[in-house]
Amino acid sequence: HVQLVESGGGSVQAGRSLKLACSVSGDRLSSYCLGWVRQAPGKELEVITTLDTDGSKEYADSVRGRFTISKSDDKKTLGLEMNNLALDDSGMYYCTACLTCSRIWNGHRDFWGQGTQVTVS
């Protein structure tokens, strides 16, 4: 079982940066692909990035080059650095964990946090 707690959301002006964090705890953490997904009001859930157990990273086209996923050395914090934020980046951001990254990109979320709100104006 994995517990995830997001933090770091807030309001920010377009073009600025924001960094989110997700506290990760539980069993067999090294076995899970971790990722970030977001949902804007009235829109479907969007997978934006994943970090696989081998350290490989994938990004959605909408955030590639602007967002960076990372994990702390102790593997207990998942980060998301967001640069050059746009209005379309507003939404609720969730960190998630699945046994494979393909499950995340296919819309599954085996474990997820409560989310943190990001508002870009």
Side-chain angles (χ1 to χ4, degrees):
H1 198 77
V2 178
Q3 295 83 41
L4 305 165
V5 180
E6 303 92 340
S7 61
S11 297
V12 64
Q13 290 183 328
R16 302 296 291 270
S17 299
L18 196 64
K19 187 167 185 177
L20 306 182
C22 174
S23 174
V24 183
S25 59
D27 302 323
R28 298 165 50 215
L29 296 180
S30 61
S31 301
Y32 291 92
C33 173
L34 301 175
W36 289 94
V37 301
R38 68 184 179 188
Q39 188 165 30
K43 294 187 177 181
E44 293 185 356
L45 201 67
E46 178 187 15
V47 180
I48 55 176
T49 182
T50 55
L51 176 57
D52 209 341
T53 54
D54 63 358
S56 58
K57 304 174 184 179
E58 291 189 63
Y59 296 93
D61 290 343
S62 59
V63 305
R64 187 177 293 111
R66 300 188 299 123
F67 289 15
T68 302
I69 190 172
S70 62
K71 192 161 55 175
S72 60
D73 290 342
D74 63 5
K75 298 180 174 56
K76 294 182 178 179
T77 303
L78 182 70
L80 181 66
E81 183 170 351
M82 306 184 292
N83 297 316
N84 193 21
L85 284 161
L87 298 180
D88 287 349
D89 293 320
S90 294
M92 187 68 79
Y93 283 69
Y94 302 89
C95 62
T96 185
C98 284
L99 286 178
T100 65
C101 290
S102 61
R103 282 184 57 80
I104 295 179
W105 287 103
N106 286 329
H108 297 283
R109 292 187 293 163
D110 293 342
F111 304 101
W112 64 92
Q114 83 289 349
T116 186
Q117 179 70 39
V118 173
T119 303
V120 184
S121 60

